[in-house]
Amino acid sequence: KEVAEAFNGAKELMKSQSNVSKLYQNFILYPKATSQLAKTVLSPITHGRNFISAGAFSVANGIIPNGEAIKTAYQALQIPLKGSRKQNEFYQELLELGVVNSNVRLGDLQNLLADVKFGQIVNENLDSGKFLGRMFNKMSKFKKGAEDFYTAEDDFWKITSWISEKSRLGRKFESAGIKKGDMVKRFDDTMVEYNDQFLKEEAADIVKNNIPNYAYVSDFVKGLRKMPIGNFVSFPAEILRTSTNIINRGVREITYKHTLADGTVVKPLQGIGYQRLLGMGAATVAVPYAAVEGAKMIYDVTEDEMEALRRYVADWSKNSTLV
């Protein structure tokens, strides 16, 4: 009898906890997910910001992609636009290397939508043959298309960065006298054969570690999406990680040494290191300053007006770069 009473008590407690969980999900997380959906993949302005911010990370790594890299990246994108989806095998290779389909903001949003089973309840209660059911199905397709474009905006710059990194690594190694088949040291001190596969993996490693990637966000940070406040916590966490990695990589490239067969010591990656640090400086200081001053000049806005503006913007934007 005592065991049965204890079991029933546990069942009542679990039922109570389940009810609280459902209330939290329906009244806190569901509205939060809806708001984030509206302000990201369903917002044309945010699509523009997503594309520009993704490009800023290429600049931060000292990369200005050439026309061939841009063309190849566009042809590999998985979106229904003319000229895209022509490099599907190439995209699949980059997917296996972990370069593409890793947008941080979208990862937060998709997991939050999954947490609240977004759309599932509507689907279960609407007859697909009725008007509301058909309308909801069309909205779901629109949402999926918007997510695909959001991913493509991020993928475009990651692909161009990967192509550019692989190209300049190969040029620098070979101009320093390193030939295919030679043994070279990676930054983790392992010795590997210098070949095309090495260049592919090294370029992928740079992109994954120097450009925000949802796969590298800790479970703790990912879990913060379920808090009632705070949006897209993974992105600022990734900015901290990648900014540190860019500087660290640049310094290590400058000091990287390789001994040739004849005993000559060369620094094949020194030029790339300086480019990377210069790009980081440009992306964090020069470009924002130029954007602010250019906008002030075009729209005839004074410095006093910009300072006055800070009294009215949201608290989290008072110390931001305002354009």
Side-chain angles (χ1 to χ4, degrees):
K1 183 179 178 181
E2 289 178 355
V3 172
E5 289 177 350
F7 181 72
N8 289 331
K11 282 176 65 179
E12 289 299 319
L13 179 61
M14 291 174 65
K15 184 178 180 181
S16 174
Q17 290 175 336
S18 177
N19 290 335
V20 172
S21 177
K22 287 180 179 178
L23 285 172
Y24 184 79
Q25 177 176 301
N26 291 333
F27 290 99
I28 300 295
L29 293 187
Y30 204 96
K32 182 181 181 182
T34 304
S35 174
Q36 290 191 353
L37 176 65
K39 293 186 176 184
T40 51
V41 298
L42 300 183
S43 169
I45 296 297
T46 308
H47 277 273
R49 290 180 62 189
N50 183 44
F51 184 76
I52 293 170
S53 64
F57 283 96
S58 289
V59 175
N61 280 282
I63 293 174
I64 300 178
N66 57 36
E68 189 61 33
I70 291 173
K71 179 182 177 182
T72 302
Y74 178 77
Q75 290 177 340
L77 296 180
Q78 302 299 294
I79 49 176
L81 290 181
K82 184 178 180 180
S84 63
R85 294 178 176 171
K86 288 185 175 181
Q87 300 271 5
N88 290 337
E89 289 185 10
F90 176 54
Y91 187 86
Q92 186 63 37
E93 181 181 17
L94 294 179
L95 195 61
E96 292 172 359
L97 287 169
V99 173
V100 294
N101 199 12
S102 55
N103 186 288
V104 178
R105 291 193 194 94
L106 188 59
D108 265 344
L109 174 60
Q110 288 177 331
N111 279 344
L112 185 57
L113 293 177
D115 292 336
V116 299
K117 299 179 181 178
F118 191 86
Q120 182 175 319
I121 296 174
V122 181
N123 268 328
E124 290 173 352
N125 291 283
L126 286 177
D127 184 347
S128 61
K130 295 180 180 179
F131 172 74
L132 287 177
R134 293 197 298 270
M135 184 178 70
F136 184 79
N137 288 334
K138 289 181 179 179
M139 289 175 61
S140 297
K141 291 179 181 178
F142 178 78
K143 170 181 162 292
K144 178 63 170 63
E147 288 179 346
D148 290 343
F149 273 93
Y150 205 84
T151 299
E153 293 149 11
D154 187 62
D155 283 350
F156 175 82
W157 290 108
K158 286 181 176 176
I159 296 171
T160 56
S161 295
W162 182 86
I163 294 172
S164 301
E165 293 285 6
K166 179 176 178 292
S167 176
R168 68 180 179 178
L169 282 172
R171 288 198 311 270
K172 293 297 183 180
F173 271 117
E174 288 166 21
S175 64
I178 300 171
K179 301 179 180 63
K180 296 288 177 69
D182 291 349
M183 299 300 292
V184 294
K185 185 170 68 174
R186 300 194 66 183
F187 286 154
D188 59 2
D189 292 329
T190 58
M191 298 298 294
V192 296
E193 182 181 340
Y194 173 70
N195 52 32
D196 194 57
Q197 186 61 29
F198 161 77
L199 292 175
K200 289 179 179 180
E201 292 176 358
E202 191 69 16
D205 189 60
I206 295 171
V207 173
K208 288 187 289 186
N209 285 291
N210 291 11
I211 298 177
N213 189 310
Y214 196 64
Y216 286 79
V217 180
S218 70
D219 291 336
F220 171 76
V221 173
K222 288 179 180 178
L224 294 177
R225 69 179 181 272
K226 297 180 181 179
M227 298 293 289
I229 58 174
N231 294 318
F232 307 109
V233 289
S234 296
F235 188 66
E238 276 298 274
I239 287 181
L240 293 175
R241 183 184 74 90
T242 55
S243 298
T244 303
N245 287 346
I246 289 171
I247 296 172
N248 183 52
R249 173 92 191 185
V251 172
R252 296 186 73 177
E253 285 171 334
I254 292 172
T255 57
Y256 179 84
K257 296 179 181 179
H258 177 81
T259 304
L260 299 175
D262 62 2
T264 305
V265 178
V266 294
K267 293 184 175 182
L269 305 180
Q270 191 175 60
I272 296 177
Y274 284 123
Q275 286 178 350
R276 203 176 302 281
L277 294 182
L278 183 63
M280 184 62 176
T284 55
V285 180
V287 172
Y289 177 80
V292 171
E293 294 303 314
K296 284 166 59 179
M297 181 182 67
I298 293 171
Y299 293 102
D300 194 25
V301 176
T302 66
E303 183 62 31
D304 288 340
E305 289 172 323
M306 290 298 293
E307 287 305 312
L309 179 65
R310 293 189 184 276
R311 305 207 312 260
Y312 295 95
V313 297
D315 289 339
W316 58 83
S317 290
K318 289 186 182 298
N319 296 314
S320 299
T321 300
L322 302 180
V323 182

